[in-house]
């Protein structure tokens, strides 16, 4: 099952932070969850969660997602906080509201995308590696390579990225607006792709189903790298 909650937060000193706010929230999150689980998350590998913050009114929405039952503890802990203390701010963020989402089965999540097209919007910059180096190249399918890997890892499946790529190449981009931006992770500046694209699904129902499944999953796990640090946050709009 896939889990998600939105935390609505506000604070007046975010301009004092020396990195992106999502990076600081990730650091605070690691301090609040059980220490044994925090140690487990430090082990190299695919992480079963994403956490990212984006502007909403005068504050932010902090979106926390979990890809399995074990990682749901992150949502439970964060959802019970009344305030979030961030390194670099003398006053904490105030949690004004929490919006939990209904759990979703990963295998059927794609059915939530209605119609023949979908807008994929990057709420936070996404990064891939090109030639072994961090990159913001607008190679859209490549940003979903990590999504396929995470789906296989946490859903015990064997989806083939080449199948996803084939389905993507048979679809059509109706519109897009993409740009390169910078993302600060504790003083380390990474390139990121920001913006949106509208995709019209191919007429082949199985290929369309595969794309919808991966896009839906990406809205929980994020796309590209450093999704635990707030990069690659994705939301979907379907018609």
């Amino acid at each position: 099952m896939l889990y998600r909650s939105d935390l609505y937060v506000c604070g007046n000193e975010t301009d004092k932070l020396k990195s992106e706010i999502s990076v600081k929230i990730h650091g605070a999150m690691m301090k609040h969850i059980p220490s044994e689980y925090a140690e487990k998350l430090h082990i190299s590998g695919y992480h079963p969660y994403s956490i990212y913050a984006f502007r909403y009114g005068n504050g932010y929405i902090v979106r926390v997602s979990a890809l399995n039952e074990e990682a749901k503890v992150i949502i439970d802990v964060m959802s019970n906080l009344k305030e979030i203390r961030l390194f670099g701010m003398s006053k904490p963020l105030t949690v004004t509201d929490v919006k939990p989402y209904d759990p979703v089965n990963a295998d059927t999540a794609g059915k939530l995308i209605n119609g023949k097209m979908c807008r994929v919007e990057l709420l936070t910059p996404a990064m891939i590696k090109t030639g072994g180096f961090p990159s913001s190249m607008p190679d859209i399918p490549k940003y979903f390579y990590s999504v396929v890997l995470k789906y296989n890892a946490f859903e015990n499946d064997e989806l083939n990225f080449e199948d996803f790529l084939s389905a993507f190449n048979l679809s059509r981009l109706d519109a897009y607006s993409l740009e390169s931006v910078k993302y600060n992770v504790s003083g380390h500046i990474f390139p990121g792709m920001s913006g949106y694209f509208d995709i019209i699904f191919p007429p082949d129902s199985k290929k369309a189903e595969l794309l919808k499944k991966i896009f839906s999953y990406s809205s929980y796990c994020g796309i590209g790298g450093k999704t635990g640090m707030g990069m690659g946050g994705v939301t979907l709009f379907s018609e």
Side-chain angles (χ1 to χ4, degrees), residues 66-124:
L67 307 182
N68 57 26
E69 185 71 30
E70 184 180 30
K72 185 175 177 290
V73 66
I74 297 174
I75 295 177
D76 294 339
V77 168
M78 295 296 287
S79 296
N80 284 318
L81 297 178
K82 301 300 182 184
E83 59 183 28
I84 305 175
R85 294 192 173 275
L86 303 184
F87 183 78
M89 289 176 55
S90 61
K91 296 180 180 180
L93 295 175
T94 300
V95 180
T96 59
D97 196 12
V98 177
K99 176 187 175 183
Y101 290 73
D102 292 333
V104 174
N105 187 297
D107 187 51
T108 59
K111 295 181 179 179
L112 299 176
I113 300 178
N114 300 314
K116 298 181 179 180
M117 70 176 296
C118 174
R119 169 166 290 191
V120 181
E121 182 176 343
L122 280 67
L123 296 173
T124 60

Side-chain angles (χ1 to χ4, degrees), residues 213-230:
K213 177 186 293 187
I214 296 303
F215 288 160
S216 295
Y217 199 76
S218 74
S219 69
Y220 285 84
C221 71
I223 64 174
K226 296 195 177 298
T227 53
M229 293 288 187

Side-chain angles (χ1 to χ4, degrees), residues 130-148:
T130 303
F133 295 95
S135 168
S136 60
M137 284 187 63
D139 183 354
I140 294 174
K142 192 170 183 179
Y143 287 84
F144 292 86
Y145 179 69
S146 62
V147 181
V148 173

Side-chain angles (χ1 to χ4, degrees), residues 189-203:
I189 308 301
F190 291 92
M193 183 179 75
S194 185
Y196 72 87
F197 64 90
D198 295 339
I199 186 168
I200 299 175
F201 298 111

